[in-house]
Amino acid sequence: MVAELRGALIGCGFFAVNQMHAWRDIAGAAIVAICDRDPERLKVVGDQFGIVRRYVDAAALFASESLDFVDIATTAPSHLPLVEMAAQNRVPAICQKPFAPSLADAKAMVKACSDAGVALMVHENFRWQSPIQAVRAVLDSGDIGTPFFGRISFRSAYDVFSGQPYLATGKRFIIEDLGIHSLDIARFLLGDVSTITTRTARINPKIAGEDVATMLMDHKSGATSVVDCSYATKLAIEPFPQTLVEIDGSDGTIRLEQNYRLSVTGRNGTAVSDVSPPLLPWASRPWHNIQESVVAIQKHWVDCLANGTEPATSGADNLRTLALVEAAYAGAASGEPVQLDALL
Ligand code: NAD
Ligand code: 89Y
């Protein structure tokens, strides 16, 4: 029998609870220690998941534990020091999104892990949602031919501030927090981007950052996409946290619509299917779509460590998604299109 990988979780906040549930579902890895600088969060998560080895200081965690990986679930400002600490201790690391507050920090993390010869994966989980994987599978089947247009859309009025109050206070909001997933999905479905043009707005007067963003992208493949996201869109049926997708190809179309309805028109006519994610035993609606993707990406990490392969959302890959975020903010400020290659 292959020994279980010994992991530690750093950051026991709002979202980390999903990661802890997911680790319990995954064979081949277990969380043996946890760390949070807030003793209350350490106790809540430690008690809930029966983890006795607890640390308020990440340096003490690395000094005392023998680890096969660390799962960093803190917010972005702490990612650089924590990933660098993992690299210094030769421990492979998963790092939550947004990878970093700046592309320079992200590049430093990629370099630190590469120099240390340890794997680094960004927990960019939205592309692992089963409805998004279903869209990718249709593209791979060739049924709609060559894609020339895409729309990745996330529009909602869900109150994300009650669970994540820090989202209301930062100068940057929707592109960095949520649009980052949509931009990554656009890359996943249509490939890398050469140019992005962005418009933003703040509709909710109680928050500091932008809550609406519309981005037009030129993909290197020749396809054009629109990535639009909003937390100021009040709809008859609240779709949170569904990403809707439209792709037009030379031979047909894909539509991922509300309620996980997938409609594919291809060479052989139209097929409609329900691609709803399963409701895992520990999951709760409407978060179950995201929760299932957490299991999928963490399984992928375990497979990559076992096989020595690079994660799909490695640190190096995620530089291209984070560059889109930086370019979107720069373009929103200037009103001009921004070239991506100059940033990378
Ligand atoms: P949170 O503030 O609830 O939790 C973060 C925790 O990290 C806190 O308990 C804090 O005390 C701890 N922490 C911060 N710095 C630390 C350090 N240096 N050492 C030890 N502990 C430290 O935040 P959250 O809402 O759980 O979000 C965490 C991250 O997860 C964010 O980057 C957020 O964008 C991301 N997130 C991802 C998804 C997703 O689907 N991938 C969903 C929600 C949130
Ligand atoms: O933080 C965000 C994320 O990554 O997914 C949804 C979210 O929790 C709120 O926008």
Side-chain angles (χ1 to χ4, degrees):
M1 208 177 90
V2 184
E4 268 198 340
L5 298 173
R6 295 167 52 84
L9 176 89
I10 305 179
C12 299
F14 168 79
F15 197 71
V17 172
N18 297 310
Q19 294 169 227
M20 289 299 290
H21 276 294
W23 287 122
R24 283 215 294 213
D25 282 359
I26 295 171
I31 296 298
V32 298
I34 57 172
C35 169
D36 198 300
R37 62 184 179 195
D38 175 351
E40 256 180 58
R41 287 306 307 169
L42 200 56
K43 178 167 169 39
V44 167
V45 171
D47 289 356
Q48 183 178 357
F49 293 93
I51 311 290
V52 293
R53 304 179 73 81
R54 303 177 187 180
Y55 298 85
V56 286
D57 174 23
L61 166 85
F62 283 109
S64 309
E65 299 290 335
S66 162
L67 298 171
D68 296 311
F69 72 94
V70 67
D71 188 7
I72 299 168
T74 60
T75 46
S78 54
H79 290 173
L80 177 61
L82 291 171
V83 169
E84 281 182 341
M85 216 182 279
Q88 276 154 18
N89 287 279
R90 300 274 188 281
V91 176
I94 307 173
C95 177
Q96 253 298 350
K97 54 60 62 176
F99 191 13
S102 73
L103 201 49
D105 275 18
K107 286 178 181 173
M109 286 186 263
V110 171
K111 183 171 183 329
C113 289
S114 160
D115 289 351
V118 294
L120 171 63
M121 179 178 85
V122 177
H123 186 119
E124 179 42 78
N125 52 322
F126 271 39
R127 63 162 78 178
W128 286 98
Q129 292 171 3
S130 46
I132 302 300
Q133 291 284 324
V135 172
R136 182 66 255 173
V138 176
L139 289 172
D140 290 342
S141 76
D143 206 18
I144 71 153
T146 305
F148 61 85
F149 170 81
R151 178 178 176 207
I152 316 298
S153 180
F154 186 106
R155 312 193 76 79
S156 164
Y158 189 84
D159 174 20
V160 287
F161 309 109
S162 57
Q164 297 168 266
Y166 58 88
L167 294 178
T169 60
K171 261 177 67 187
R172 292 178 167 190
F173 169 38
I174 201 168
I175 299 174
E176 183 179 75
D177 170 63
L178 188 282
I180 195 168
H181 292 302
S182 314
L183 292 165
D184 189 70
I185 290 172
R187 286 187 56 231
F188 179 55
L189 298 178
L190 296 169
D192 276 322
V193 173
S194 50
T195 317
I196 183 169
T197 306
T198 306
R199 300 290 179 268
T200 58
R202 177 163 57 85
I203 304 302
N204 179 349
K206 296 187 189 135
I207 66 170
E210 83 293 349
D211 52 2
V212 178
T214 309
M215 294 160 271
L216 170 69
M217 307 204 290
D218 298 307
H219 292 261
K220 291 186 174 175
S221 63
T224 305
S225 71
V226 175
V227 172
D228 59 289
C229 47
S230 164
Y231 270 128
T233 299
K234 298 173 176 114
L235 291 159
I237 300 171
E238 172 52 63
F240 181 87
Q242 295 177 49
T243 300
L244 309 185
V245 178
E246 297 176 17
I247 297 183
D248 294 1
S250 51
D251 296 321
T253 54
I254 304 172
R255 295 291 180 268
L256 175 59
E257 295 164 350
Q258 200 165 340
N259 286 328
Y260 305 109
R261 181 181 187 270
L262 181 65
S263 169
V264 180
T265 299
R267 295 189 183 100
N268 305 315
T270 297
V272 178
S273 55
D274 178 358
V275 290
S276 296
L279 180 67
L280 297 173
W282 51 268
S284 55
R285 292 178 194 279
W287 288 86
H288 63 298
N289 182 30
I290 293 180
Q291 288 164 321
E292 186 220 3
S293 71
V294 170
V295 178
I297 194 170
Q298 291 180 189
K299 267 190 185 149
H300 175 61
W301 170 252
V302 171
D303 290 345
C304 288
L305 285 190
N307 303 328
T309 48
E310 177 154 324
T313 58
S314 65
D317 175 84
N318 198 258
L319 291 180
R320 296 175 182 283
T321 294
L322 195 68
L324 284 170
V325 170
E326 289 230 333
Y329 282 113
S334 69
E336 298 294 325
V338 178
Q339 308 287 332
L340 268 299
D341 281 349
L343 296 175
L344 289 161

